[in-house]
Amino acid sequence: MPLENSPLFDQLSFAWRKALGKRIALHVWVTLEASLSKVREKETCFPPEGLELAALRECDPGAVKVVILGQDPYHGKGQAHGLAFSVMQSVAWPPSLRNLFKELLDDVGPESRTLNGMNDQGALQHWPQQGVLLLNDVLSVSEGKPGSHVHLGWQEVTGAVLDVLLESDRPIVFILWGNQARKHKRRIVHPDHLVLESAHPSPLSAYRGFFGSKPFSQANAWLVDRGLEPIRW
C-alpha cells in the first residue's frame, strides 16, 4: 500500500507529509491504523476519526515557535478535536483547561487575548495561527479511559514530529506538561531551543508544580530576546 493511501498520513498538510514521509515507515502507520480501528470497533474514541492529526494541519513545521506537549486527548464526549487542551466553541471547559486558564490569568493577566474574550473560534484555536503547536504524546483515547491508548504506537509519530522541529536552527520553546510529555526532554539538546516543564494542569497534579510555573510569560520573554514576535495568548 502506498504511503499516500494511509488514512492517517492523508490527514497531514503537504509540509508535514514531506517532513515525516521518510521518518516514519509505512508499517508504523499501518499498524497504528489497524490498532486504532480495532479499538474504535469496540469503544467510542476521541477525537473523532479524521481529527487525530488536526494539530499538524493547523501549524506547519516552518511556522512553529512554541510546542505545548500534553499527555493524551480529553476523554469526555464532545471535548477533544485534535488540538491538545483546546475545545470547540460552546463546549464546557474540562478541568485541565480551566486550570490552564487560571495559570494564564495569573501569569499574563489582562494581556491575554483569550481572557479578554477576543477569541470567537473556541478555546485555543488562535494559538496555532501564531505558531503554537498544540500536541499530545498520544493522539487518541477511549471515552472515559484516560491513558487507554498509550500502547497503540502514537509515540513513534509524535516523537518524529518533535525530531523534525528539533533539527531546526530556529528558536523554539518546548512546554512539556505531565510525566509522559516530560520524557521527551531528553531529545531537546539544541542550544537554540528552550524547555519549560512542569506538572500537568489536571486537577490531580496542577498543585504539584503547574500553578505558578508561568510558562506563557517565560516563553514570550525568551522569544522577544531572540527578535521574534511574542504569542498573543
Side-chain angles (χ1 to χ4, degrees), residues 50-179:
L51 293 180
E52 296 92 348
L53 298 173
L56 300 183
R57 291 203 301 270
E58 296 290 329
C59 198
D60 277 343
V64 175
K65 295 195 294 186
V66 177
V67 178
I68 293 181
L69 185 66
Q71 300 189 152
D72 60 353
Y74 294 130
H75 54 86
K77 186 175 182 179
Q79 295 174 336
H81 66 108
L83 304 184
F85 299 101
S86 181
V87 295
M88 295 296 286
Q89 189 176 13
S90 301
V91 174
W93 292 357
S96 292
L97 183 57
R98 291 199 298 269
N99 286 340
L100 185 159
F101 274 81
K102 182 180 186 299
E103 177 63 21
L104 182 61
L105 177 61
D106 290 343
D107 190 3
V108 301
E111 297 178 14
S112 167
R113 174 185 173 192
T114 305
L115 292 167
N116 281 329
M118 297 173 63
N119 172 40
D120 59 1
Q121 304 171 48
L124 305 177
Q125 278 84 335
H126 62 291
W127 289 4
Q129 297 167 11
Q130 303 175 71
V132 180
L133 180 62
L134 295 171
L135 194 66
N136 278 309
D137 178 56
V138 173
L139 302 181
S140 63
V141 68
S142 293
E143 183 174 11
K145 299 179 179 179
S148 52
H149 292 193
V150 70
H151 300 301
L152 293 189
W154 279 116
Q155 291 87 344
E156 292 200 54
V157 175
T158 51
V161 168
L162 294 176
D163 286 342
V164 167
L165 299 174
L166 290 168
E167 287 184 357
S168 171
D169 290 331
R170 293 178 297 104
I172 299 176
V173 182
F174 291 85
I175 302 176
L176 312 179
W177 287 338
N179 291 335

Side-chain angles (χ1 to χ4, degrees), residues 214-232:
K214 299 188 179 300
F216 309 104
S217 59
Q218 288 191 72
N220 274 354
W222 192 84
L223 291 172
V224 169
D225 282 346
R226 283 148 185 79
L228 298 175
E229 285 290 320
I231 305 300
R232 290 174 290 115

